[in-house]
Amino acid sequence: MLATRGMMDTLRAAGQATTPFTSPGTDGVAEVIAGFLTDGAVDRSLRDGLDAMDVTVAICALLGTTGPDDSGARARRLLDVFVGSLGDQGE
């Protein structure tokens, strides 16, 4: 997403809309994330019970820290911290 500015701009716009997380684009992203979360719960690389829309909202918020002309360094650091927190806590 950081490499594809169009995707970031779309998610940023969704995060700034009046009803930010009800767009078909955001629903599509949440659907893809749901698949990752399910697979991660099965192989225990991710915690079980994570909500796909919660993760989508968090990603949109993190990407919102990077403006259109920014290199994305802050968003990458924040995403690393966030993704690390999704790991299976039993390991």
Side-chain angles (χ1 to χ4, degrees):
M1 287 183 200
L2 289 169
T4 307
R5 299 309 296 195
M7 174 65 82
M8 283 183 60
D9 293 341
T10 298
L11 290 175
R12 189 178 294 109
Q16 295 169 349
T18 305
T19 53
F21 304 106
T22 58
S23 74
T26 306
D27 289 343
V29 172
E31 187 176 317
V32 171
I33 288 174
F36 287 126
L37 295 177
T38 298
D39 292 347
V42 168
D43 72 11
R44 298 188 49 99
S45 62
L46 297 176
R47 287 189 274 165
D48 192 20
L50 294 168
D51 181 84
M53 189 54 77
D54 287 349
V55 173
T56 301
V57 169
I59 290 170
C60 288
L62 292 174
L63 291 174
T65 66
T66 302
D69 297 328
D70 191 289
S71 70
R74 174 179 288 129
R76 281 186 190 89
R77 289 190 306 271
L78 292 172
L79 284 168
D80 283 346
V81 170
F82 176 71
V83 169
S85 75
L86 299 176
D88 184 8
Q89 301 301 302
E91 293 185 5

